[in-house]
Amino acid sequence: MDINLRFLSRWTQWVNTFFAPKATLKTESDDAQKGLISLKTIANQYQPRTGEEPVNENMSSPFICTAEDFIARESQIKQITDVINLWRNHHGEISAIVAPAGAGLSAFLGQIPSLLTNINTQQQDASTSTVKPLPEKGVIMSFYTAPLSARDAIANVCYCFDMQPPAAMTDTSITDIIIAINKLPAQLIVIDDLHKLMLRMMGNAQALVTFATIVMETRKHHCWILGCEKFAWQRLSAQYEITHFIKHVITFDYFNAKELARIQTKQLVDLGLMSDDYLSQETGNTESHRGQKSSEATHNKNDNDDAVNPYEDQLKQLHIISQGHPKLAILLLQYSLTHQADIAQSSGSEKSDNSTKHNSSTGSDNNSKQCTDICKINASALPSCQDSDLFSLAEIYVHGGLRVAQHAHIFAQTIEQSSLQLAYLARQGLIIAQYSQRDFAQHFYFITPALSKIIASHLVNNNKLFH
C-alpha cells in the first residue's frame, strides 16, 4: 500500500509540473538575475535542443586530455610508470586507478599511450635481455553493457584481444580462453569505467568472478590497468573483495585551486579573453620556481606584478563554487560570461560600492582586473528529493548509469514506476537521458556530469553513499 501511495504522490508531482502554466515556471534569466544557475540549466548544457536524441558530449574539455596541456597528477604518473616497469621486470600485478566521477580519470588513462612512448625513449639504452619489451599494442576501452553471465564476461575479455568468443560454454571454456590469451603477444589493456561492469542483477556476480579470474591468470603476460569511480570501488571492495587480487591502487581527487586555475586560464586564452603571452609566462614562471626555490626570499615583489592574472578573483570563486570539479568550473565560467548582464543586476549597488572602495585604496594598478561576477548554483532541487529519489540517484551514480528496466529490477517495481521516477529526476536536472527510439524501458539515465560532486556530497550527507 505504501508503494502505491508513493507512486500516486510522484504521479501528482509530475502532472503538476508538466501542466504548470508557462508564466509561472522559472526561466534561465530569472536565476541569472539572482546570480544563480539552476541544476536544470547545467543539465541542458549537455543536451541537444531536440527532445529525444542522444546526449551531446561537446562540453568535455579536450585540452585537459592532450599530453602537452595535461594538468598535475605528477605523483600518479610516476606511480603508474613504476607499475609498468615492475611488469617489464616480470613482477606483473593488476593495477587500479581510483578517482571520483568527474575528476579526470578518463583523461588520466588517456595519457598512458604517450607514457609508454616516454618510457621506451628513456630506457632504450638501459634495456637488457631480462627486461620485457614494452607492448607493441595498447588498448583503452570501456564496457557499457554489464555482463550477466560467465559467457558474457568471456566475450568482453575476448573483445579486448580482438578474439572470437567460444560459440558455446563448456567446463573448460575459461581455461581455454586463458591459455589462448597467454599465447598472444604481450599487450597493455586499460579498462576504463570498471564500475559499469558491476550491475546488481542476477548473474552479474558470477560474471565478475569470471572476468577477475581471466585477468588474474593473464596478468604476468599482459599488463592490466583498471579505472574505477571511488564510491563504486568501495562497494566492489565491500561486496566482492576486489582488493584481494588488485595489488596496486593509485588514487587522486578533484583539482586544487592552483591546478584548476591553470585549466581555467587556458580556457580564457582559448576564448580570446586573455593573451597567450600570459599563459606562456605562467608556464615559464612555474618551471623557474621549481628550479629556483632558494631565490624566492630575495625576489622583488614588483617583479610579479606582470604575472597577476586579471581573472584571479574569479578563478578563486570558481574553485570554491565548483569544489575543484573541472567540467563544472568550465561551465560556470562560460555561463557567467554569457549572462554577465543579468548576473550583474543581482549585486547592483553593493558591488559598485565595494568596487569603489577597493579601487580607491589600491590605485590604478587594479584597472586591469576584470569585473566579472561568477554565478552560484541553485541546488534547491536536491533537498526536495524524497528518500526513494536519493536511493535512485545513488544507484545511478555507482553504476555509471542505469536503463529504466535495470532500475525497475534493482528496486523491485514496475517499469512504468521507474520510468516516471527517472523522468522526474531528469526534469530536475539531476540526471540526463539517452533515449531509445524503440522501447522506453531501454532509456538510459546517468548523473549530470558537471554535478557529480555536488550530488555525491548530498548523497553522503544523507547516508545514501558511504566513504
Side-chain angles (χ1 to χ4, degrees), residues 145-429:
T145 302
L148 293 177
S149 67
R151 181 175 181 175
D152 290 345
I154 290 175
N156 282 350
V157 177
C158 287
Y159 186 76
C160 296
F161 297 93
D162 198 20
M163 296 171 54
Q164 286 294 327
M169 284 289 295
T170 66
D171 293 340
T172 62
S173 291
I174 297 177
T175 302
D176 295 341
I177 288 297
I178 291 171
I179 293 173
I181 289 175
N182 281 329
K183 288 181 179 179
L184 295 172
Q187 295 188 35
L188 184 143
I189 307 293
V190 179
I191 305 295
D192 193 6
D193 294 332
L194 181 67
H195 49 278
K196 292 184 179 179
L197 288 176
M198 180 195 72
L199 183 59
R200 295 211 294 182
M201 293 178 65
M202 187 68 68
N204 185 242
Q206 181 57 47
L208 285 174
V209 169
T210 300
F211 178 82
T213 300
I214 297 174
V215 173
M216 189 72 176
E217 294 299 324
T218 60
R219 73 190 188 282
K220 299 296 183 183
H221 186 58
H222 301 284
C223 185
W224 290 91
I225 299 175
L226 311 177
C228 188
E229 197 281 328
K230 181 178 72 171
F231 288 101
W233 177 261
Q234 291 164 357
R235 181 178 287 187
L236 285 168
S237 301
Q239 294 183 355
Y240 300 100
E241 299 179 332
I242 194 172
T243 52
H244 286 190
F245 70 94
I246 294 184
K247 185 170 184 178
H248 306 289
V249 180
I250 300 169
T251 63
F252 59 83
D253 212 320
Y254 294 100
F255 292 103
N256 61 34
K258 185 176 181 180
E259 294 164 348
L260 190 68
R262 288 173 59 192
I263 296 173
Q264 297 303 101
T265 299
K266 177 66 168 63
Q267 186 193 13
L268 289 166
V269 171
D270 291 343
L271 292 173
L273 298 175
M274 288 180 61
S275 170
D276 189 57
D277 295 337
Y278 174 79
L279 194 63
S280 302
Q281 181 181 5
E282 184 187 54
T283 304
N285 288 342
T286 301
E287 293 176 354
S288 64
H289 280 300
R290 288 175 182 173
Q292 300 178 0
K293 290 183 179 179
S294 60
S295 65
E296 292 179 356
T298 58
H299 198 279
N300 192 330
K301 183 178 179 181
N302 292 331
D303 294 340
N304 282 331
D305 289 345
D306 294 337
V308 174
N309 192 320
Y311 286 89
E312 182 180 5
D313 292 339
Q314 288 76 19
L315 295 179
K316 289 178 181 178
Q317 292 178 51
L318 280 170
H319 183 262
I320 293 172
I321 298 171
S322 70
Q323 302 175 61
H325 192 302
K327 282 188 176 181
L328 179 57
I330 289 170
L331 189 151
L332 288 173
L333 179 58
Q334 291 178 337
Y335 183 86
S336 298
L337 291 170
T338 303
H339 296 270
Q340 192 56 213
D342 291 329
I343 296 172
Q345 294 179 15
S346 67
S347 38
S349 59
E350 181 181 352
K351 281 277 186 181
S352 178
D353 292 342
N354 290 339
S355 178
T356 302
K357 293 178 182 178
H358 183 68
N359 288 335
S360 63
S361 62
T362 56
S364 60
D365 288 341
N366 281 337
N367 289 337
S368 61
K369 294 254 182 176
Q370 305 300 313
C371 298
T372 304
D373 294 306
I374 302 299
C375 60
K376 296 180 174 59
I377 298 170
N378 177 7
S380 58
L382 266 173
S384 65
C385 286
Q386 301 174 8
D387 275 353
S388 59
D389 298 324
L390 297 181
F391 279 118
S392 292
L393 288 173
E395 289 303 308
I396 294 170
Y397 183 98
V398 170
H399 285 89
L402 287 174
R403 300 189 185 279
V404 175
Q406 294 169 341
H407 179 275
H409 179 94
I410 291 173
F411 289 96
Q413 61 188 23
T414 68
I415 291 177
E416 291 80 9
Q417 286 175 309
S418 288
S419 177
L420 287 174
Q421 185 174 28
L422 294 173
Y424 167 76
L425 293 174
R427 280 191 299 278
Q428 307 309 306

Side-chain angles (χ1 to χ4, degrees), residues 23-38:
T24 65
L25 296 176
K26 282 188 176 181
T27 64
E28 187 174 302
S29 60
D30 290 334
D31 271 337
Q33 289 175 5
K34 298 177 182 178
L36 301 172
I37 180 172
S38 69

